[in-house]
Amino acid sequence: MLCLVAGMILKNKDGKYLVTYRSKKPLGLSFPSFHLASKQPGNVLIDAAIEFSKRAELDIGIKPIHVRRLGSIICQHHCRFWLPLIQIDIHEWIIYEVVSFRGEPHNLNPEKYASIDYLTGKEILSAARGDGFDPVWKNILASSNLKNLISP
């Protein structure tokens, strides 16, 4: 069993990226991300892009109009989302770029996010080298098939 998670890359017209500061473990800087479902490997239970759009609207108040799938990665890390129901340690992350959207991002989920903001690529890449960055997103940014997600 694994979790299906979607991560969001959204760049505004000023060339800055939407980031979140997590208020739940792992604490720190990250990009918006949403648990979509649990599933058996290879068995997609939902339309991930549609579910991703719903979660984006619920958590940060934007309605994605056009999204593009950038890639995916399998990560091994302990899942807190489904506890105490089931223990899952494998996540399939699907990374989406939000090309166009309606609304203005704002924090609708303060239990999950301490705040949301826009940062430059240079600021994000610098932060990713430190300790205050979500370790899963560090792996995603370092992944060979997702290496160029953020441009400085």
Side-chain angles (χ1 to χ4, degrees):
M1 187 78 110
L2 58 81
C3 279
L4 184 61
V5 180
M8 174 193 293
I9 303 295
L10 185 151
K11 195 175 191 178
N12 70 10
K13 62 182 184 271
D14 298 327
K16 293 183 175 183
Y17 297 89
L18 183 68
V19 295
T20 60
Y21 295 90
R22 293 181 51 85
S23 52
K24 285 186 171 184
K25 289 184 179 180
L27 301 173
L29 185 67
S30 71
F31 295 91
S33 55
F34 319 105
H35 274 82
L36 303 179
S38 62
K39 68 174 197 151
Q40 296 295 334
N43 179 17
V44 176
L45 301 175
I46 59 169
D47 183 321
I50 290 172
E51 190 64 23
F52 164 79
S53 293
K54 288 178 188 174
R55 296 297 314 159
E57 194 167 9
L58 289 171
D59 276 15
I60 60 171
I62 66 161
K63 182 162 183 62
I65 305 302
H66 178 228
V67 298
R68 184 174 57 155
R69 183 182 168 137
L70 298 175
S72 64
I73 183 173
I74 301 291
C75 296
Q76 254 188 291
H77 57 91
H78 185 64
C79 182
R80 292 174 183 84
F81 185 79
W82 295 107
L83 285 177
L85 300 174
I86 50 177
Q87 182 173 337
I88 299 175
D89 292 324
I90 300 174
H91 291 72
E92 178 180 355
W93 281 73
I94 301 171
I95 309 303
Y96 290 101
E97 176 186 18
V98 176
V99 178
S100 63
F101 62 95
R102 274 191 238 125
E104 279 302 312
H106 52 283
N107 189 2
L108 297 175
N109 193 345
E111 288 182 19
K112 182 176 178 182
Y113 304 125
S115 65
I116 62 174
D117 200 358
Y118 283 101
L119 295 178
T120 65
K122 187 176 181 179
E123 291 169 320
I124 293 165
L125 294 173
S126 174
R129 290 190 285 275
D131 291 335
F133 204 85
D134 183 324
V136 173
W137 275 103
K138 277 187 181 189
N139 289 342
I140 290 169
L141 292 176
S143 167
S144 61
N145 67 333
L146 298 169
K147 204 169 267 224
N148 297 314
L149 287 177
I150 305 301
S151 56

